[in-house]
Amino acid sequence: MSEAEPTKGHRPGARERNRAEVMAQIMTAGRRALAEHGADGLSLRAVAREVGMVSSAVYRYVASRDELLTLLIIESYDAVGAVAERAAAGGGSAVQRFVAVAMAVRDWGRAHPHEYALLHGSPVPGYRAPDDTITAGTRVPAALIGLLVEEYAAGRLSVPVASEGPPVSEELSRQCDSVRDFFGSDLPDELVLRGVSAWTHVYGLISFELFGQFRNSFEPADDLLELQFERIAAHLGVQS
Amino acid sequence: MSEAEPTKGHRPGARERNRAEVMAQIMTAGRRALAEHGADGLSLRAVAREVGMVSSAVYRYVASRDELLTLLIIESYDAVGAVAERAAAGGGSAVQRFVAVAMAVRDWGRAHPHEYALLHGSPVPGYRAPDDTITAGTRVPAALIGLLVEEYAAGRLSVPVASEGPPVSEELSRQCDSVRDFFGSDLPDELVLRGVSAWTHVYGLISFELFGQFRNSFEPADDLLELQFERIAAHLGVQS
DNA sequence: GACTGATTGCGAACAGTGCTCTCGGATGTG
DNA sequence: CACATCCGAGAGCACTGTTCGCAATCAGTC
């Protein structure tokens, strides 16, 4: 943190170094407030107080409360994405790593319930416009589907015969294309669909636990989640 | 609405009839505000204005903004529950009815995104204490699992052999008991688990669509959801 | 029918919020 | 040094949830 080198042609300068530092303080204060009081309780004035500024001064750094929230959302997406990727890169079979990713996301959610809720709950439909957030949100599913891509490329995954239900429509197949493009893979439709299915299922389970929907039934949900994750993973590698 | 009969020993009386009416107005205004501006935008003062009272007067009917929200939550749970039950009572095979319930919930969510988000997103951990809400929230899953119970009782469902994953722990089995108690059924663990799995999966898919997580990939999600619902339902009646 | 007590709406008030604007002082650049 | 930019402070506006006291209105009793 001392004597930063001039990487970008012009050296930092005391001014913008200070600016970056204040910005970091604001983010830190915001992060804490978010974790403690939730998105609703995130008050720009409180953040300003914690940083030691007057409220209006914060607007020199952040355009609005919503923008601060957006920044925090991106940060959270990144954090959980990193956790998921680390789990995906761990050892063991693909099934084991899949379960590891699911568990990692779950653990992150339990440790940061407000952030998780902000990412995956309360959409305020049509609000979360900024594309930054949606690209930032791809890391977790990418880690999961990435496992499939990897296994398929290694020939360790047999393409399951299209099971029950209606046939894959043209539109759906085209949507699968976009997934394939993203990974630069030729994962067949069936496997893409299974991947999406797995991720949505995992998400549903984690959210149910975090949002208290298992109260009075499956609480604590540890055993249930472990079992379900395991089965979802196994279902991916089905040999039928 | 005229000359109400005295069902409870003492007749309504102009006063409490009026009170009920004002209360209904408050709920209506609240419902509309919630649907239009979301939970965050639900302002007690705005509700008061719409009803034609001053803000403090509303407190004669509702203890706080949170209580009004809670009442609206319960109402919404009831609404979506009724929709689900109607779909479950429709014609067709169990698989068809399962898909119908899933689609009905999805449609309701698309029609009432803010309410859906309030029910299934943003938990504010530890906040939604009132037990009224969690019992009110059982109707949809009850409709789904109810289909299983029904089919099982009719002998149209073979118990799948415990598939992959760890064995069902004692605790998990005990939790399944509570589900069985609720339905007064002897649905075996395996089927209870499949039911929970199906419901969480459906919930995950619907939420993903409503919360915009399919943006840039599976949008519109109609085909995906239909296919997935169909497969989930088929998976329930597996004969293995 | 007058009296009493609860019910109910109103208005003012307090503390808090997001956000805008203006105004100095500090900082960097020519 | 002079000029331009930045950046924090402060006041202010419109809004929120919530509390409190006051006055009117209604229900039931002597």
Side-chain angles (χ1 to χ4, degrees):
Chain A
M1 299 296 175
S2 59
E3 310 305 293
E5 48 267 88
T7 40
K8 256 304 178 30
H10 71 110
R11 56 181 110 202
R15 199 157 201 167
E16 63 185 278
R17 192 166 60 237
N18 194 272
R19 182 177 178 83
E21 199 168 314
V22 172
M23 186 65 194
Q25 283 181 35
I26 290 176
M27 289 293 286
T28 301
R31 205 176 309 130
R32 181 150 58 204
L34 174 60
E36 200 159 336
H37 305 99
D40 283 6
L42 178 68
S43 152
L44 245 161
R45 286 184 120 110
V47 167
R49 268 193 303 271
E50 184 157 331
V51 178
M53 297 198 297
V54 85
S55 75
S56 62
V58 187
Y59 285 85
R60 299 277 181 209
Y61 297 84
V62 156
S64 68
R65 197 195 88 115
D66 266 16
E67 187 180 298
L68 178 56
L69 255 179
T70 301
L71 292 176
L72 291 169
I73 287 177
I74 295 177
E75 214 184 53
S76 294
Y77 265 131
D78 240 46
V80 66
V83 164
E85 282 166 11
R86 189 146 8 109
S93 68
V95 166
Q96 287 173 320
R97 286 187 288 158
F98 179 94
V99 173
V101 171
M103 274 297 175
V105 173
R106 180 222 184 194
D107 289 342
W108 186 89
R110 281 157 63 102
H112 309 85
H114 282 115
E115 284 96 322
Y116 184 93
L118 191 54
L119 300 189
H120 292 104
S122 54
V124 195
Y127 146 75
R128 199 166 305 169
D131 284 358
D132 311 338
T133 64
I134 72 172
T135 58
T138 52
R139 287 178 68 177
V140 171
L144 282 177
I145 310 275
L147 287 176
L148 269 191
V149 170
E150 214 176 285
E151 290 295 295
Y152 179 71
R156 282 195 292 275
L157 219 51
S158 58
V159 184
V161 48
S163 51
E164 309 87 351
V168 177
S169 72
E170 276 187 39
E171 169 150 50
L172 190 48
S173 185
R174 220 176 310 121
Q175 292 171 338
C176 289
D177 280 342
S178 73
V179 175
R180 272 186 288 271
D181 285 352
F182 181 85
F183 286 98
S185 162
D186 60 341
L187 206 63
D189 284 357
E190 265 311 308
L191 286 176
V192 172
L193 291 175
R194 274 182 196 267
V196 173
S197 170
W199 165 225
T200 54
H201 199 169
V202 164
Y203 158 78
L205 284 160
I206 296 174
S207 296
F208 256 46
E209 185 195 23
L210 286 178
F211 296 169
Q213 304 271 2
F214 282 145
R215 255 212 299 180
N216 287 5
S217 52
F218 294 92
E219 181 136 67
D222 304 70
D223 292 352
L224 176 68
L225 290 198
E226 183 169 343
L227 184 120
Q228 299 282 15
F229 288 164
E230 209 90 47
R231 290 190 178 179
I232 294 169
H235 187 61
L236 278 176
V238 66
Q239 316 287 23
S240 75
Chain B
M1 299 294 178
S2 60
E3 312 303 294
E5 49 268 87
T7 41
K8 255 307 180 24
H10 72 110
R11 56 180 113 202
R15 198 158 201 166
E16 61 186 280
R17 193 166 58 236
N18 194 273
R19 181 177 180 84
E21 199 169 313
V22 173
M23 186 65 193
Q25 283 180 33
I26 290 176
M27 289 294 286
T28 302
R31 205 176 309 129
R32 180 151 58 203
L34 174 59
E36 200 160 336
H37 305 99
D40 283 7
L42 179 68
S43 154
L44 244 164
R45 287 185 119 108
V47 167
R49 267 193 303 270
E50 185 158 332
V51 177
M53 298 198 296
V54 85
S55 75
S56 62
V58 188
Y59 284 85
R60 300 277 181 209
Y61 296 85
V62 156
S64 68
R65 196 195 87 115
D66 266 16
E67 187 180 298
L68 177 55
L69 255 179
T70 302
L71 292 176
L72 290 169
I73 288 177
I74 295 177
E75 214 184 52
S76 294
Y77 265 130
D78 241 47
V80 66
V83 164
E85 282 166 11
R86 188 145 10 108
S93 68
V95 166
Q96 288 174 319
R97 285 187 290 158
F98 180 94
V99 173
V101 171
M103 274 297 175
V105 173
R106 180 221 184 194
D107 290 341
W108 186 89
R110 281 157 64 102
H112 310 84
H114 283 116
E115 283 96 321
Y116 184 92
L118 189 55
L119 299 188
H120 292 102
S122 54
V124 195
Y127 146 76
R128 200 165 305 170
D131 284 357
D132 311 338
T133 65
I134 72 171
T135 58
T138 51
R139 288 178 67 177
V140 172
L144 282 176
I145 310 275
L147 287 176
L148 270 189
V149 170
E150 213 176 288
E151 290 297 293
Y152 180 72
R156 283 193 293 274
L157 219 54
S158 57
V159 184
V161 48
S163 51
E164 308 88 349
V168 177
S169 72
E170 277 186 39
E171 169 151 48
L172 190 48
S173 185
R174 221 174 311 120
Q175 293 171 336
C176 289
D177 280 342
S178 74
V179 176
R180 272 185 288 270
D181 285 351
F182 181 85
F183 287 98
S185 162
D186 59 340
L187 207 63
D189 284 358
E190 266 310 308
L191 285 177
V192 172
L193 291 175
R194 276 181 195 267
V196 173
S197 170
W199 166 225
T200 55
H201 199 169
V202 164
Y203 158 79
L205 284 161
I206 295 174
S207 296
F208 256 46
E209 184 195 22
L210 286 178
F211 296 171
Q213 304 271 1
F214 282 144
R215 240 189 335 158
N216 287 4
S217 52
F218 295 92
E219 181 135 67
D222 304 69
D223 292 353
L224 176 68
L225 290 198
E226 182 169 345
L227 183 119
Q228 298 282 14
F229 288 164
E230 209 91 46
R231 290 191 178 179
I232 295 169
H235 188 62
L236 277 177
V238 65
Q239 316 288 24
S240 74

